[in-house]
Each structure stands twice: as C-alpha cells, then as structure tokens.
C-alpha cells in the first residue's frame, strides 16, 4: 500500500498564461512566486507553489501527492509497475521544473495524470498574497471518475486514502485528519474537477462572494455549507473553465478507529444544508 502524506501541487495547462496569472493573483488571491515564458508558479502557503499553470494544452492537468521518504517513493514505483502502470521516473530537468527532489508520474485507470513526489521545495519566506482572500492552505481537489468503484479500490486499497463520506456514488476521501483532500465525482471525464483553497473563516467566504460578484466572476455554487464536511463554501469559475472553491471550517476526523463512513442521499440538501443550488451540474460536492 502506498502511503500518501499530503497533497502537493496541481499542474494546469492553459491557453493564456497571462490571463491565468491575472486571475490567480488579482481574483483568487494567490502569490505569484515565479514566472517563465511557459510556466507560472502560484502559492497560497509557504511552499514554492501549489498551482503551476503551463502555457499550451488547456486539457492537460496533473495532480501530485507528497510521500514521506525516498524509500516510499521507490516502493511506490515498484508497486505501481507490478500492477501494470507505466511509471515514469522524473528526470533532473523534470524535477527542477516541479521544484522537487524526486518524483514518479503515471496515469491511473481513469486517465488521470498523477505524480508522487519526494521533497517538494519550501521557502523560508511567508506567503504574501496579491489579494487578501484569507487563504490558509491548499485544501483539496476533485477528480473525475468514470468508474467510482474501480477508482475507490485504487485510492483506498492500493493507496491508503480512506472514505469519509459518500453522496450518491461520489466519494470524499481523506489522507490525514482533514475530512477530505480528494473528492471523486462520477463523470465521463478525466482529470481535475475542482480546486479548493481553505480560507480562515465564514467572513472570508462571504467577503469573497461579494468581491467575486463585483468582478463578474461566475458563481457556480454557494455560499453554502456542506453537511458532509461541515465546510462553508463558495465555488466559482475561472477563465480556464475550471471550478475553484474557497471553504472554511472543514471537519477533522481525529479518531480513525471510531469513524464510520456515511452515505448521504443523492439530493441537493446533501451538498448544501442551507439550500444553495449549483448553477452547473458537474462540480457539486
Ligand atoms: Fe471541494
């Protein structure tokens, strides 16, 4: 079993890098840490980056997880290869591009590009955002799944993610105490389904709601509160047609042995206990 220590970064292809840097800094509230002709590295914490936008194929994305030791990375490479995955060991140039010491990349059964990382670089300089959205950390992300049971088996039996809750067929998975860091959504697509940053509190969620509306950013769901994770949320659409989310107050599951996953009915109230309804179908959580 592969032990996932934490989520690490997302690599997000885009057609217009300048547009995404503008959105990520002026609207989303991330700090632009580094920019090249083709790559923009943005962060909501003290790491070198959480999101890397890459000029080019807008359909390209990859999500990365940190492993704790090089032995675990070597083990993961062996286990994945034995399962029939085509595993690529990152070259020095690829590691430099990702600001990591080592990584492996592969594509899961849902054609999601995943990377397992050892020693993602951090900085000694605190996060200083271009807009104070109240971001406290890179929270979680959603992944599309064409076959939930197959992918759940991958994440929970082959990797060591645990199911926190399910809504219909969808599943919210934790890899540490946080209620979920991965959300699997039934879909015909592959890749990243939404990108979440945690903010300090409900005031930040509501402040951003007004800010986003004033800036003509499409709100796709919320403000609302998830009965599953108890997080208060707002979802909105980026110029790259990806869904972004702020949320605050996510539940922590501190007693692994005492926790039993819950099955929520497939109704709007399972996504928002306040009564908010999503404006598009595919992203709701
Ligand atoms: Fe979310």
């Amino acid at each position: 079993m592969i032990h996932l220590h934490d989520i690490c970064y997302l690599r997000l292809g885009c057609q217009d890098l300048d547009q995404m840097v503008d959105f990520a800094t002026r609207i989303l509230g991330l700090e632009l840490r580094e920019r090249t002709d083709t790559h923009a590295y943005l962060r909501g914490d003290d790491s070198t980056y959480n999101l890397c936008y890459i000029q080019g194929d807008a359909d390209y994305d990859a999500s990365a997880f940190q492993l704790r030791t090089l032995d675990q990375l070597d083990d993961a490479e062996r286990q994945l290869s034995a399962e029939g995955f085509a595993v690529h060991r990152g070259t020095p140039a690829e590691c430099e591009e990702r600001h990591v010491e080592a990584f492996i990349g592969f594509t899961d059964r849902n054609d999601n590009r995943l990377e397992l990382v050892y020693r993602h670089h951090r900085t000694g300089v605190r996060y200083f955002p271009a807009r104070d959205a109240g971001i406290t950390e890179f929270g979680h992300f959603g992944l599309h799944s064409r076959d939930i049971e197959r992918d759940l088996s991958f994440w929970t039996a082959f990797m060591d993610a645990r199911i926190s809750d399910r809504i219909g067929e969808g599943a919210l998975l934790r890899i540490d105490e946080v209620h979920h860091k991965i959300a699997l959504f039934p879909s015909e697509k592959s890749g990243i389904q939404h990108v979440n940053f945690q903010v300090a509190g409900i005031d930040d969620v509501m402040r951003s709601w007004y800010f986003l509306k004033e800036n003509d950013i499409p709100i796709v769901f919320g403000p609302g509160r998830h009965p599953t994770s108890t997080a208060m949320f707002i979802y909105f659409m980026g110029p790259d047609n990806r869904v972004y989310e702020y949320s605050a107050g996510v539940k922590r599951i501190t007693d692994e042995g005492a926790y039993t996953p819950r099955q929520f009915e497939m109704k709007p109230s399972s996504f928002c206990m306040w009564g908010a309804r999503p404006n598009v179908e595919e992203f709701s959580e």
Side-chain angles (χ1 to χ4, degrees):
M1 187 176 277
I2 296 170
H3 176 65
L4 302 173
H5 175 59
D6 204 352
I7 59 172
C8 193
Y9 58 72
L10 302 178
R11 291 164 57 82
L12 303 170
C14 66
Q15 286 178 337
D16 186 337
L17 193 59
D18 289 334
Q19 180 188 46
M20 291 317 301
V21 168
D22 177 66
F23 169 76
T25 54
R26 191 173 56 83
I27 302 296
L28 193 52
L30 300 181
E31 178 188 353
L32 178 64
R33 173 81 186 161
E34 184 184 343
R35 169 79 193 263
T36 68
D37 287 345
T38 54
H39 290 57
Y41 299 84
L42 294 123
R43 67 177 189 169
D45 59 25
D46 293 350
S47 67
T48 42
Y49 70 102
N50 310 120
L51 304 185
C52 179
Y53 289 102
I54 304 170
Q55 176 79 47
D57 179 5
D59 291 330
Y60 168 82
D61 63 32
S63 50
F65 294 83
Q66 293 186 62
L67 304 192
R68 208 169 250 158
T69 68
L70 192 55
D71 279 350
Q72 288 180 348
L73 189 70
D74 294 341
D75 258 356
E77 184 174 17
R78 278 191 291 272
Q79 291 180 53
L80 286 160
S81 298
E83 278 293 306
F85 292 99
V87 183
H88 171 72
R89 188 82 178 201
T91 64
E94 289 168 334
C95 289
E96 192 177 331
E97 181 193 330
R98 287 162 177 77
H99 299 356
V100 302
E101 292 300 303
F103 81 97
I104 57 173
F106 64 101
T107 301
D108 75 8
R109 304 288 187 225
N110 201 65
D111 303 317
N112 298 326
R113 293 177 200 84
L114 302 176
E115 295 181 356
L116 302 180
V117 166
Y118 174 59
R119 285 166 70 189
H120 181 222
H121 296 175
R122 301 196 68 82
T123 73
V125 185
R126 68 185 170 196
Y127 157 62
F128 189 79
R131 171 177 101 79
D132 180 16
I135 290 174
T136 55
E137 63 178 337
F138 177 33
H140 63 258
F141 49 85
L143 292 174
H144 292 290
S145 171
R146 294 190 297 269
D147 183 337
I148 287 280
E149 296 309 321
R150 173 200 63 192
D151 292 339
L152 270 182
S153 170
F154 173 78
W155 286 104
T156 64
F158 193 66
M159 307 291 208
D160 69 345
R162 285 86 70 195
I163 299 172
S164 291
D165 287 314
R166 299 191 67 170
I167 306 175
E169 292 302 302
L172 302 171
L173 307 178
R174 68 185 180 281
I175 56 176
D176 53 25
E177 288 186 353
V178 176
H179 179 273
H180 62 280
K181 291 206 167 171
I182 312 163
L184 290 183
F185 289 81
S187 165
E188 291 308 307
K189 300 178 184 175
S190 62
I192 293 162
Q193 185 269 350
H194 77 278
V195 180
N196 170 281
F197 283 89
Q198 297 290 303
V199 294
I202 183 63
D203 292 338
D204 297 303
V205 174
M206 295 306 294
R207 200 176 287 124
S208 281
W209 181 46
Y210 287 106
F211 174 84
L212 294 167
K213 285 199 298 184
E214 278 173 20
N215 283 274
D216 297 322
I217 304 299
I219 306 292
V220 290
F221 192 17
R225 184 167 191 157
H226 294 307
T228 47
S229 66
T230 71
M232 295 162 281
F233 63 82
I234 186 151
Y235 292 81
F236 50 100
M237 190 71 80
D240 53 352
N241 287 323
R242 292 186 174 98
V243 173
Y244 294 83
E245 176 191 15
Y246 297 127
S247 65
V250 66
K251 177 195 306 202
R252 287 178 176 267
I253 296 170
T254 53
D255 188 347
E256 280 285 335
Y259 189 81
T260 302
R262 301 169 298 177
Q263 175 68 52
F264 283 74
E265 58 184 357
M266 192 60 195
K267 289 190 173 173
S269 55
S270 295
F271 295 95
C272 178
M273 59 200 288
W274 293 347
R277 297 288 182 270
N279 293 330
V280 293
E281 279 188 2
E282 67 159 294
F283 79 95
S284 54
E285 175 186 287

